[in-house]
Amino acid sequence: MCGITGWISYDHDLTARRPTLEAMTETMACRGPDAAGIWLDTHAAFGHRRLAVIDLDGGKQPMAVERDGRTLLVTTYSGEVYNYRELRAELTQLGHTFRTSSDTEVVLHAYLEWGEAFAERLNGMYAFALWDPRTEHLLLIRDRMGIKPLYYHPTPDGVLFGSEPKAILAHPSVRPTVDAEGLAELITFTKTPGHAVYKGMHEVRPGHIVRVGRGGVTVKRYWALEAREHTDGLDATVAHIRELLDDIVARQLIADVPLCTLLSGGLDSSAITALAAKALAAQGSGPVRSFAVDFTGYTENFTPDDLRGTPDGPYAHALAEHVRSDHRDIVLDTAALMDPGHRAAVLAARDLPNGFGDGDTSLYLLFKAVRERSTVALSGESADEVFGGYRWFHDPEAVHADTFPWIAAGLSARFSGGRATREALLDQALLSKLDLRGYQDRRYREALAEVPYLDSDTGLQRRMREISYLHLTRFVQILLDRKDRASMAVGLEVRVPFCDHRLVDYVFNAPWSMKTFDGREKSLLRAATRDVLPDLVADRVKSPYPSTQDPRYTEALRDELRNLTGDRDAPVRPLLDSGALAEATADGAANDIRPGAELVLGMNAWLRTTGTTLEL
């Protein structure tokens, strides 16, 4: 896993612009702490920061293919292609020769053999650029589910690109600017595919190729969810899902560096950990290493709410004991969550204050601790989107609401256990201008217009196909981006087996009645993995990623809001509702201020540290 960046300019000689490219590349150092590389040509400049995972000595980048002293193709590549060994064998039979054992070189030769169609052959998580000096064309390619990020910014004579916005913003011609639409995108839980929040910048959509030439920029889709008749019966469906999971996990255990799993004790992470333990045992290696996050006193003083009914600790320990993993709890306290340095690191990693507050900080600290013992981690992320695990999948009111179901369910408030909203402290005139509800509605209608249907999709089945599509193309992007940024901020590669496109495509087309055949959430996943799980874990009710319940955390946020009130130079102050701010900071005020406070404090730090201009 790595950080990539680059610059295409058809009107300038980029061989003289090394300092600019070096500055852009340096912003990706967190994503690639092991090595740095620069490649310059007249109209193309590539930068690369490497996190060495496969072929530690031979996989250096940017990487080129040359023939008879002529450069045929160059790439700066981030990710893992899990079927690279099969592709390499096929390409070898077709006459290609390889000088390294890396998947990067396989990608280069696959393009030389099959052209743009090669992307359809890749299984993995990836975001990369290919420059063909023969045609002077650039291709930007992103994996099907959008596991790895990739952004681009068209210029008058080419394009700038990078794994994260910060790489593009390091170019002297780009200024960080956010307009009203960008601010609405930031505040709402919509995650519009292709939208980068910053004005003039775009995100390469999952499953898409962006082609850049002298004539401009064109976008092509190479993969999308399709509606197909599901002809397998229940037993065959469960068996096929297990077969896919066994193959997926085995492939994603390939690494030349220490590897582990992230274990919460929920069905998703427990299934991945158990299958990984099983695969490693079959290989004669192991035990699997696992990590869980916890908070000081969280299990002992846990209070159930309408989102989390049980603490993770006992379930994570039960699974760890069941598979005999080398397990470690990473225990965090409120001081660590409120530490200004940690929160600044999270904001720098995210580029935007659009996260989950203490949930983002704790994830960053978890990954930082994991990185001390492992370089690669397998995660249970995305199983809820694939198999229908969130509570609002099973809430008729949220399902039939005429908006995104997670918004109907009040996610931002429920995540922190309260009733407040993210926009609670913002000025009413600003909110009127942003028209967040109207913005959400437009994005919702756009998403619905994309949904593929079968003629047989009627009633609840039709609606649940829509709900699944919304989650697999919108909601999952929020969580994948969060996990990528937090992990790569500390040089940890996190793999997400449940995002394998074969599994996603298969389960997407299974009827909703089959996905809930036992009357519960994630019925198919539970049935497919029950044999490797203890009953305590297999039967556990879904519980989201934990959030601290320490009242001192809320009070610390309130104190920061009070300090902000007294800071006349605080850049966020013109955006705030003074009355709402006074109410939130008053002695004895209600405790459900966290979503609004975390957004406002994050926005203030973001505006101050990045110099972002708001064009409202």
Side-chain angles (χ1 to χ4, degrees):
M1 198 55 57
C2 307
I4 68 173
T5 190
W7 180 9
I8 304 300
S9 174
Y10 293 106
D11 293 344
H12 298 87
D13 182 354
L14 296 183
T15 59
R17 303 300 296 271
R18 174 179 284 270
T20 296
L21 191 69
E22 288 178 340
M24 295 170 66
T25 304
E26 184 59 25
T27 67
M28 296 290 93
C30 59
R31 298 185 71 92
D34 297 329
I38 297 287
W39 182 88
L40 297 173
D41 200 0
T42 305
H43 300 304
F46 280 4
H48 187 268
R49 291 291 311 209
R50 187 179 185 215
L51 176 64
V53 173
I54 293 175
D55 191 3
L56 306 188
D57 294 326
K60 296 178 181 178
Q61 295 187 50
M63 185 179 289
V65 175
E66 298 179 347
R67 186 177 301 156
D68 300 326
R70 179 187 178 199
T71 300
L72 301 183
L73 193 65
V74 185
T75 190
T76 181
Y77 167 87
S78 170
E80 307 291 349
V81 172
Y82 301 124
N83 64 333
Y84 78 98
R85 292 175 172 174
E86 295 97 316
L87 291 173
R88 180 189 174 105
E90 184 177 358
L91 288 164
T92 299
Q93 289 184 338
L94 291 170
H96 292 259
T97 58
F98 295 86
R99 58 183 177 81
T100 75
S101 300
S102 69
D103 57 336
T104 305
E105 190 178 14
V106 171
V107 166
L108 285 164
H109 284 269
Y111 174 77
L112 291 174
E113 179 65 34
W114 297 302
E116 291 183 20
F118 87 110
E120 300 170 18
R121 295 172 174 260
L122 304 181
N123 178 299
M125 57 178 189
Y126 45 82
F128 56 92
L130 291 171
W131 172 251
D132 189 334
R134 300 165 299 178
T135 62
E136 292 193 326
H137 279 111
L138 173 79
L139 297 182
L140 300 175
I141 303 174
R142 194 171 179 211
D143 66 69
R144 294 169 178 83
M145 291 297 291
I147 305 167
K148 292 287 101 182
L150 184 56
Y151 295 83
Y152 67 101
H153 188 293
T155 65
D157 71 329
V159 73
L160 303 163
F161 67 87
S163 292
E164 299 176 7
K166 59 176 65 70
I168 296 170
L169 295 173
H171 192 278
S173 71
V174 180
R175 295 289 181 267
T177 303
V178 174
D179 59 18
E181 181 181 280
L183 192 57
E185 176 75 15
L186 186 155
I187 295 172
T188 60
F189 274 92
T190 49
K191 196 63 175 89
T192 306
H195 205 302
V197 176
Y198 287 105
K199 190 175 180 180
M201 195 181 298
H202 308 274
E203 190 174 26
V204 178
R205 292 188 63 160
H208 282 66
I209 298 173
V210 175
R211 185 182 183 93
V212 182
R214 288 184 178 273
V217 176
T218 58
V219 179
K220 171 186 173 183
R221 188 183 71 190
Y222 71 88
W223 184 84
L225 287 168
E226 297 179 359
R228 286 188 292 274
E229 290 287 353
H230 186 81
T231 58
D232 291 344
L234 177 60
D235 290 344
T237 298
V238 170
H240 186 58
I241 288 171
R242 176 55 178 272
E243 180 183 341
L244 283 171
L245 286 172
D246 283 337
D247 178 70
I248 292 164
V249 171
R251 288 180 183 275
Q252 297 195 19
L253 289 173
I254 297 173
D256 296 332
V257 291
L259 180 146
C260 68
T261 68
L262 305 174
L263 176 61
S264 71
L267 175 62
D268 316 338
S269 64
S270 296
I272 295 300
T273 301
L275 293 175
K278 183 172 178 288
L280 289 173
Q283 298 170 12
S285 56
V288 66
R289 183 179 295 158
S290 60
F291 292 89
V293 68
D294 202 355
F295 303 102
T296 303
Y298 186 78
T299 299
E300 298 83 352
N301 303 308
F302 180 80
T303 302
D305 57 35
D306 66 342
L307 197 59
R308 300 175 182 85
T310 53
D312 287 346
Y315 297 88
H317 296 161
L319 190 283
E321 182 177 349
H322 185 74
V323 303
R324 298 179 180 178
S325 72
D326 176 8
H327 182 76
R328 178 173 297 187
D329 290 330
I330 306 302
V331 182
L332 308 175
D333 59 23
T334 296
L337 296 176
M338 289 302 300
D339 183 278
H342 295 155
R343 293 167 67 197
V346 171
L347 179 60
R350 293 297 298 263
D351 286 311
L352 294 165
N354 59 348
F356 288 99
D358 75 289
D360 279 351
T361 309
S362 65
L363 194 66
Y364 167 80
L365 293 172
L366 166 65
F367 289 158
K368 187 176 181 181
V370 170
R371 184 62 176 87
E372 295 176 1
R373 300 189 66 207
S374 294
T375 307
V376 174
L378 270 63
S379 166
E381 198 79 81
S382 306
D384 289 304
E385 289 81 5
V386 174
F387 290 97
Y390 295 116
R391 293 190 181 185
W392 49 81
F393 271 90
H394 311 273
D395 177 358
E397 185 175 342
V399 165
H400 295 293
D402 194 24
T403 188
F404 295 106
W406 54 90
I407 291 176
L411 172 67
S412 64
R414 296 180 67 188
F415 189 89
S416 59
R419 297 179 179 274
T421 62
R422 283 161 60 86
E423 62 270 23
L425 300 179
L426 299 181
D427 179 68
Q428 292 302 308
L430 171 65
L431 293 175
S432 178
K433 174 178 279 190
L434 296 180
D435 185 19
L436 298 181
R437 182 168 295 182
Y439 182 79
Q440 291 170 351
D441 186 67
R442 289 194 302 276
R443 296 311 190 188
Y444 174 66
R445 305 295 166 198
E446 290 172 1
L448 282 186
E450 299 173 4
V451 180
Y453 301 101
L454 296 174
D455 291 340
S456 58
D457 288 338
T458 59
L460 182 62
Q461 169 60 26
R462 180 181 176 88
R463 180 55 177 165
M464 295 315 297
R465 186 182 289 280
E466 293 174 347
I467 297 295
S468 295
Y469 187 89
L470 294 175
H471 281 80
L472 292 169
T473 62
R474 267 67 176 176
F475 190 73
V476 75
Q477 289 297 302
I478 299 173
L479 301 185
L480 289 175
D481 185 67
R482 169 178 177 254
K483 183 148 287 185
D484 173 85
R485 299 302 189 87
S487 60
M488 295 308 294
V490 297
L492 176 71
E493 175 179 303
V494 174
R495 299 175 177 177
V496 278
F498 289 116
C499 274
D500 186 291
H501 70 277
R502 298 169 298 163
L503 178 69
V504 172
D505 182 80
Y506 184 76
V507 179
F508 175 67
N509 283 295
W512 181 246
S513 58
M514 188 176 286
K515 294 177 185 176
T516 55
F517 76 87
D518 64 358
R520 293 195 55 190
E521 79 286 352
K522 290 183 286 196
S523 305
L524 291 174
L525 177 59
R526 183 177 295 101
T529 59
R530 180 176 280 280
D531 67 302
V532 295
L533 302 174
D535 288 341
L536 176 71
V537 172
D539 294 329
R540 186 188 182 193
V541 175
K542 164 71 183 175
S543 184
Y545 182 84
S547 179
T548 180
Q549 295 185 338
D550 189 341
R552 291 175 298 177
Y553 179 77
T554 300
E555 284 309 307
L557 289 176
R558 201 185 311 277
D559 286 342
E560 286 202 18
L561 284 179
R562 291 182 179 125
N563 291 336
L564 186 150
T565 303
D567 183 0
R568 294 180 179 275
D569 296 324
V572 79
R573 282 194 60 171
L575 308 180
L576 303 184
D577 182 323
S578 58
L581 187 62
E583 183 178 337
T585 55
D587 292 335
N591 288 325
D592 55 352
I593 65 166
R594 281 170 58 175
E598 287 168 333
L599 176 67
V600 164
L601 294 171
M603 287 179 67
N604 193 60
W606 166 61
L607 293 170
R608 176 164 277 162
T609 58
T610 65
T612 296
T613 299
L614 297 181
E615 291 185 352
L616 305 178

